[in-house]
Amino acid sequence: MTLAPVTSHSSRRRHDREIIALAVPAFGALVAEPLFVMVDSAIVGHLGTPQLAGLGVAAALLTTAVSIFVFLAYATTAAVARRVGAGDLASAIRQGMDGIWLALLLGVAVIAVTLPSAPWLVEIFGASDTAAPYATTYLRISSLGIPAMLIVMAAAGVLRGLQDTRTPLYVAIGGFAANGALNAGLVYGAGLGIAGSAWGTVIAQFGMAAAYLIVVVRGARRHGASLRPDATGIRASAQAGAPLLVRTLSLRAVLMIATAVAARLGDTDIAAHQIILSLWSLMAFALDAIAIAGQAIIGRYLGADDTQGAREACRRMVQWGIASGVVLGALIVLARPLFIPLFTGDGVVQDTLAPALLVVALSQPIAGVVFILDGVLMGAGDGRYLAWAMLITLTVFAPVALLVPTVGGGLTALWWAMALMMTVRMLTLWLRTRSGKWIVTGAAR
């Protein structure tokens, strides 16, 4: 990787302080997000199995719908950070407002699709006859909170671009606490059942959106930035996010193919696969937190025309990614005897899980590099390349994964295919980083 060497110990320490200051709060905010569903599940689970099954189906649909628009956070972070680096805070916040208005428009569009199609979506997702009514109820009510969820994404991107990951952490903690209290009160206190859980989550999401908007609006007024919707700016935000949407959809396709293949391998393999995916997602939060720091830091350096700082920061974050991957891989190996029984007492599932987990452990340093370089290129606004790189990765992964049931090897072979997928991603990202073509300076790419 042709990046300028870190010039001194003091320079390394400066980059380390920046990474830690942004990544640690970002990790806390990322972990808080899935806790919403966990709280809902814990409360609804006591209503009965059909209600819990309905929640599971609806939550999966909602998560998929919202995760598609994660580009609202990524693209906004990069665009705002560039303007911060250029010293134009008013323009930075104006750019962030364009992303927030885009989030609102997309949220309204998703509601318009989801409300009338909820029963059909629940049906094609395979909900049982007893669970389907609960899933439909939860999906319809919760979809009303999608605009708030997307605004939270975009506003979090604004604050990350402004080099602030603490506020998103505080908002996430407050939202988590409010969600739990509202769910308990509406489900049991008001006797609304699963509908109460959905309404509690919607109220909490709008509360989070309001908290973000208060912070952003205050910043806009302080720096004289307009809050009105601007068609040109909204269109520019959509165009910047479109390649990242392609990247996200391609990555979702990889995960869907892997799950479909695991299901074809049998009940034991799909059960073990789901356990691994849960652990994989948790480890991804740790690596993604550093990647978020990378988006904010790289965007700021490039906006300030500091190419050397961008190269040094990239190099240091890659070192962090490799070290984090090694640590995570070692933890998987050492802690296997402790956490596997927590997930399942089935000896056959445990035997299937163990060798596949070794593959996951070995691939963690690769994953560390992938997450970091992904964040670096996002921070540079290099979305078009990220889209093509992920499409190439999907093209390589799909036939290899689909051959697993034919050639044998079971779940371990499938996760070797996943390791291949991560290796291809690493190579494509490394080649781009090495070329230096991602380094485009200025307030806008």
Side-chain angles (χ1 to χ4, degrees):
M1 186 180 301
T2 57
L3 297 173
V6 177
T7 54
S8 67
H9 179 66
S10 63
S11 181
R12 286 196 300 272
R13 290 186 63 185
R14 173 168 55 86
H15 290 306
D16 288 346
R17 285 195 298 269
E18 284 187 327
I19 294 167
I20 292 171
L22 292 171
V24 172
F27 176 70
L30 288 170
V31 170
E33 293 175 10
L35 292 179
F36 270 71
V37 177
M38 290 180 63
V39 169
D40 289 2
S41 299
I43 292 173
V44 171
H46 291 286
L47 295 174
T49 300
Q51 289 91 333
L52 184 58
L55 171 65
V57 171
L61 287 165
L62 286 165
T63 300
T64 300
V66 172
S67 65
I68 288 172
F69 299 109
V70 71
F71 69 84
L72 289 166
Y74 294 158
T76 304
T77 297
V80 171
R82 273 185 175 271
R83 286 159 177 78
V84 169
D88 189 353
L89 289 177
S91 177
I93 296 174
R94 174 65 260 180
Q95 180 72 34
M97 284 304 305
D98 292 334
I100 291 172
W101 281 112
L102 176 61
L104 178 61
L105 292 174
L106 289 172
V108 171
V110 174
I111 290 177
V113 172
T114 305
L115 282 178
S117 63
W120 176 73
L121 291 170
V122 167
E123 181 181 353
I124 64 171
F125 211 79
S128 67
D129 291 340
T130 55
Y134 297 111
T136 302
T137 296
Y138 191 93
L139 180 59
R140 277 182 165 156
I141 296 172
S142 291
S143 67
L144 300 176
I146 288 177
M149 295 168 74
L150 299 188
I151 288 172
V152 165
M153 274 189 183
V158 175
L159 295 182
R160 290 169 183 170
L162 293 170
Q163 317 296 296
D164 176 10
T165 56
R166 289 181 179 274
T167 300
L169 173 60
Y170 300 148
V171 173
I173 293 172
F176 170 69
N179 180 63
L182 286 165
N183 268 257
L186 294 174
V187 171
Y188 297 115
L192 296 180
I194 194 169
S197 177
W199 282 118
T201 300
V202 169
I203 295 169
Q205 288 161 349
F206 272 99
M208 292 173 67
Y212 272 117
L213 289 176
I214 289 170
V215 174
V216 174
V217 168
R218 283 178 179 171
R221 288 176 175 169
R222 187 182 310 119
H223 297 287
S226 174
L227 297 173
R228 294 180 179 179
D230 176 68
T232 302
I234 294 171
R235 186 163 54 251
S237 293
Q239 290 172 346
L244 295 179
L245 175 61
V246 173
R247 168 201 167 274
T248 300
L249 290 173
S250 300
L251 183 56
R252 296 294 301 183
V254 165
L255 298 175
M256 288 174 65
I257 289 170
T259 300
V261 170
R264 290 176 61 188
L265 295 173
D267 290 348
T268 298
D269 292 271
I270 187 63
H273 179 72
Q274 288 303 116
I275 293 171
I276 294 177
L277 274 182
S278 299
L279 292 168
W280 201 61
S281 298
L282 180 61
M283 291 181 291
F285 286 138
L287 298 174
D288 204 27
I290 307 174
I292 286 171
Q295 294 169 29
I297 292 169
I298 295 298
R300 191 189 76 232
Y301 275 123
L302 293 178
D305 294 330
D306 187 351
T307 58
Q308 180 179 353
R311 289 177 182 274
E312 289 179 354
C314 177
R315 187 181 190 89
R316 189 58 176 164
M317 281 183 285
V318 168
Q319 292 170 351
W320 270 74
I322 294 171
S324 299
V326 169
V327 170
L328 290 172
L331 286 174
I332 292 172
V333 174
L334 295 174
R336 275 187 312 159
L338 299 176
F339 67 74
I340 288 180
L342 295 177
F343 285 98
T344 178
D346 188 322
V348 179
V349 175
Q350 290 181 357
D351 291 341
T352 303
L353 193 59
L357 275 175
L358 285 177
V359 178
V360 175
L362 290 172
S363 65
Q364 283 309 293
I366 296 173
V369 176
V370 168
F371 274 80
I372 299 310
L373 294 184
D374 213 34
V376 166
L377 296 184
M378 283 183 191
D382 204 6
R384 190 179 298 274
Y385 182 83
L386 288 171
W388 280 111
M390 198 62 228
L391 285 171
I392 291 170
T393 301
L394 175 61
T395 303
V396 173
F397 170 76
V400 175
L402 293 172
L403 279 174
V404 168
T406 303
V407 301
L411 188 66
T412 302
L414 175 59
W415 276 92
W416 275 119
M418 290 289 284
L420 171 65
M421 179 271 294
M422 294 300 288
T423 302
V424 173
R425 287 187 72 189
M426 183 182 70
L427 289 174
T428 56
L429 298 175
W430 175 77
L431 288 171
R432 183 63 167 185
T433 310
R434 187 175 185 274
S435 73
K437 293 179 180 179
W438 58 282
I439 299 179
V440 178
T441 59
R445 184 176 173 85

